[in-house]
Structures are given as structure tokens and as C-alpha cells.
Amino acid sequence: MLWRVVVDQALLLRADGGGVLALNRSGTALWQALDVPGTAGVLAARLCETYGSEPEVLAEDISLTLLDLADRGLVSFDDR
Amino acid sequence: MAHQRLGGVLARAIASGAIDASDEQARDAYALAMEEAATDLLLERALLRWSAVLESTAIPYRVLKGAALAHLVYPEPAVRSFGDVDLLVRSAELDAAVVAFTRAGLQRRSPELHPGFDRRFGKGVTFVDSDGWELDLHRTLAPGPFGLRVDDSGLFAAAPEWLTLGGRTLPCLAPTDMFLHACLHAVLGDAEPRWGALRDVVQLAHDRRVEPHEVITRARSWRVDAVVARAVSTAWTLLDVDADLELVRWAQSEQPTRRDEHLLAAYGSGRSYARLAAASLPEIPGWADRIRFAVWHANPRGRTRRPAQHIRRVIRAAAGKPVPR
């Protein structure tokens, strides 16, 4: 995976093909939080202060975004 | 800013409040930075593909400039954009690398002047792929006479810095060599130094891995100390840098020899391939290779029937006189 963050917006590109995907700000925050992998709940706990949301609500949004990124081959899930 | 590929640093400077900008200017800077970053990513993907070509044929290489500096030297890669991929191979392996890239579907931008010319005398070979992305395959760090002075085997002797990209690790130059290359590129790469190239010099001069004494020793052993001193002085002056570094004090005290001054002039205004070729001739070790160099220029691939006329053109160019077409 190849990526850049321009100020506060991430661009992602798969090394094996496809086009450049630009994430919005919240997607970028999630991408940067993924630097240390975790469950949706753990990631929500990391990001809830930034967004002032309840971790449960955030975890649902994060799960949906992760599924979308996984469909595009940009993240993968670990079964452990 | 677009020409100099400085959108990323401009957007960062506006976002951090280091410079003031209207909303429209900020939007434009941000859009430019995004465009440059997207290009950088596509070039990094090409870098992964092309470095794999060399690895599959067991040709040692080093990643130069762009991606290497963006990831290993700058605080964030988005502030150092680039326009092509640069790879260095040893002179002895240049021909094999050319064959490998040609088999991989890349096309040379221009044909070789004469078989064997590139590996003996050229800076390298430029390729383009079917999408228009450019690969600069180097065998030395600069065109012309100063490029001929660089000891390319020494570049592979130093322990490389490693660039992690797309799940792979790619070898890059050691920090001292990165700095020397940045200096050569800033002064010898274009008739007028590009801001981005000068910024590389400043950035690397502040890098703790770049040791001033090692820089000076290596620059002197390659006989490119005049170029390095010129790069540092020019960067500090044109970019208005006030940091007082040992390298800057050394650069400002350096006086180029008359010979080096003459060579530096060949890279400046009035620069041409013929002028650089003429200036290169005395730098070629050994009379046999000098004769080869002159004859191959006079009679590339045996095409011309009037080699004497071509030799006269080279001599005129060497003297700085206009060369008739």
C-alpha cells in the first residue's frame, strides 16, 4: 500500500493496481489511527476525543468505513 | 509553484500559518499539493515495479532523489514531490539493466550515440513507459565533466539507507552521498538552479546523518568540491537561509580553480550538449577513451560522412564559440 497525507487528507494507492483514492478528514484520521492496528472498538476509543462522539456510535461508522476499505483491498482483517 | 513542484510545501506552510494566503490561494495550493501527491504515488508504484526488474536480474541498484528524499530526509513525504523515478546502477551493469528494462516494455527516449557510449561516458539512459512515466537510469550522478569524476563504485561500497515502500525495502544512497548528489543536481542539473533542488541541499545539510568532514573529504576525492561549495552557497543565498553550519562556512571560503570555474560555466547559461561534451573530453581517463569519445561524437553509429566537420563543431563549442547547424 502506498499513501500520502496532504495536510489533513490521505491519498491511498494499491501497489498492485487501481487508481488513487482520496479519503475525507475523518477517513484520514482513521487511516492514521490504523498505524497501530486494532478492532473497531479500540480505534473508536482512540478517535472519540477528536470527534466528541460516543465510542459506540463511532465504532459503527468505523466498521462501515473499514469494510469499504477492505472491499477496495486497502485494508485487511486479522482473525485473531 | 507547479513548475517547481512545491505545492506540498506551500500547502503545509499555509495550513500551519507560516505564510498568509486568501481562501482562494489556499484552495489552489491544496489542489496543487493533492495533484502532486497523486503523481508521487503513481511514480512510487512505478518505482516498485522497476526496482523489481533489477532485482529479478540480480543487478544491484540504489534509489536516487525523489522517493528516497521524500521518505528518508523530509519530515513528511508530501512536502517533497517529484516528477520521475531515478535509479543508479554500476557502469559495468548499465548495459544489462538497459536490456532488462527494454524487455520489461520500457522505451529509450533517445538512441545510444554509439554502442558502449552510455556505460563509458554517459550520465545514464532515460526510459519512458506506455503511460508516459519516466525512468532515469543513472550510472553516475551528473552529466558532463563533473559526472565523469564521480567514483560510482564508491557509491555502492557505502552501507545504504533503506526505504520501506509498499511492503518492500529498497536500497538508497548513504546520507553523505545523498547530500553530494543533491549538490551536484542543484548546480549541474539545470542552467538555472531549481528551488526544489536547492531545498534538498538545505534539508540534507541540516540532517545529522550527513557528516561535514566526510562530505568535504569525499567531494575532494571526487574533485567536485567546487560544485558542492557552489551548491551550498547558492542555496543559502537564494533561499535566504541564515543557519550557521560548518558546511556553509567551508563552502563560503572555497575558491574554485580556474579549470573548475571554466567547467562550471559550461553548465550555466549557454549550456548545450556539445559544450558539455567538449568540456568532458579532458576529464576522460586515458587517450584511447578520449579518442573513442571524440570519434563517436564525430561519427555517431558511423552515420556521417564528414567526421572532421563534427570534430570542428566540438572544438568550437569547447571554446565557447557559436556552433553552426
Side-chain angles (χ1 to χ4, degrees):
Chain A
M1 175 61 53
L2 302 166
W3 58 284
R4 284 280 189 289
V5 175
V6 177
V7 184
D8 55 5
Q9 191 169 4
L11 297 175
L12 313 181
L13 180 70
R14 281 175 54 162
D16 58 354
V20 176
L21 175 72
L23 300 181
N24 60 20
R25 284 181 186 173
S26 51
T28 300
L30 172 59
W31 181 257
Q32 291 175 310
L34 280 169
D35 203 27
V36 181
T39 63
V42 169
L43 293 166
R46 279 184 214 153
L47 293 171
C48 64
E49 274 188 33
T50 311
Y51 290 98
S53 304
E54 290 298 315
E56 295 76 23
V57 178
L58 210 52
E60 197 176 322
D61 289 345
I62 286 171
S63 295
L64 291 171
T65 307
L66 289 175
L67 285 171
D68 184 25
L69 291 174
D71 281 348
R72 297 167 189 265
L74 297 167
V75 297
S76 59
F77 294 109
D78 188 334
D79 290 334
R80 278 177 296 175
Chain B
M1 296 304 273
H3 174 64
Q4 300 275 351
R5 293 194 198 95
L6 291 171
V9 71
L10 180 61
R12 169 52 67 199
I14 292 171
S16 68
I19 59 173
D20 292 328
S22 67
D23 288 348
E24 189 185 356
Q25 287 171 325
R27 267 196 306 276
D28 287 349
Y30 195 72
L32 177 60
M34 292 291 277
E35 195 179 305
E36 287 177 356
T39 300
D40 294 344
L41 290 176
L42 292 163
L43 283 164
E44 285 180 357
R45 184 156 72 189
L47 166 61
L48 290 172
R49 212 167 43 239
W50 294 338
S51 56
V53 169
L54 294 175
E55 287 173 12
S56 69
T57 46
I59 297 174
Y61 68 93
R62 296 288 183 269
V63 181
L64 302 177
K65 299 197 289 189
L69 296 180
H71 288 274
L72 298 176
V73 175
Y74 282 86
E76 53 179 311
V79 299
R80 182 24 171 114
S81 195
F82 41 95
D84 63 3
V85 170
D86 294 271
L87 293 171
L88 174 79
V89 296
R90 290 192 183 100
S91 302
E93 278 140 348
L94 184 72
D95 290 345
V98 168
V99 169
F101 284 121
T102 305
R103 283 189 184 145
L106 277 76
Q107 291 200 317
R108 290 182 66 120
R109 275 236 185 262
S110 54
E112 190 172 21
L113 187 70
H114 192 283
F117 181 89
D118 293 335
R119 96 178 111 81
R120 277 193 170 90
F121 310 120
K123 185 187 87 170
V125 179
T126 302
F127 289 94
V128 65
D129 77 357
S130 55
D131 294 324
W133 300 118
E134 197 170 279
L135 165 64
D136 224 351
L137 178 65
H138 298 242
R139 69 152 203 103
T140 184
L141 301 182
F146 285 112
L148 289 166
R149 291 180 176 183
V150 173
D151 168 23
D152 67 324
S153 61
L155 294 170
F156 284 85
E161 289 283 302
W162 293 95
L163 165 64
T164 302
L165 201 64
R168 288 179 44 212
T169 49
L170 313 179
C172 306
L173 292 178
T176 298
D177 294 331
M178 275 189 207
F179 178 74
L180 291 168
H181 185 203
C183 290
L184 291 166
H185 181 61
V187 174
L188 311 176
D190 297 277
E192 287 291 324
R194 293 171 68 97
W195 293 349
L198 293 173
R199 190 164 152 260
D200 287 345
V201 172
V202 176
Q203 190 74 30
L204 277 157
H206 283 84
D207 193 308
R208 288 182 180 175
R209 294 168 295 177
V210 176
E211 208 284 308
H213 291 284
E214 197 186 336
V215 166
I216 295 165
T217 304
R218 182 73 67 91
R220 285 183 178 147
S221 75
W222 287 355
R223 295 185 299 128
V224 297
D225 38 331
V227 183
V228 175
R230 176 74 57 92
V232 173
S233 297
T234 305
W236 252 248
T237 304
L238 288 186
L239 300 184
D240 199 20
V241 184
D242 58 9
D244 180 28
L245 303 182
E246 186 180 345
L247 271 173
V248 180
R249 291 192 294 275
W250 165 77
Q252 288 169 346
S253 68
E254 276 287 292
Q255 288 297 322
T257 63
R258 288 186 64 169
R259 168 78 187 146
D260 284 352
E261 195 75 71
H262 171 72
L263 293 182
L264 282 166
Y267 289 88
S269 59
R271 171 190 180 125
S272 68
Y273 179 82
R275 197 170 172 201
L276 281 183
S280 297
L281 192 58
E283 298 300 328
I284 295 169
W287 281 103
D289 265 350
R290 284 185 196 177
I291 291 167
R292 232 178 241 126
F293 182 84
V295 169
W296 287 353
H297 272 97
N299 195 14
R301 290 183 172 273
R303 280 184 304 216
T304 177
R305 291 164 190 269
R306 304 172 71 181
Q309 187 184 42
H310 285 263
I311 289 175
R312 278 199 295 276
R313 287 163 61 90
V314 171
I315 292 169
R316 284 185 69 83
K321 293 177 181 171
V323 180
R325 288 199 169 270

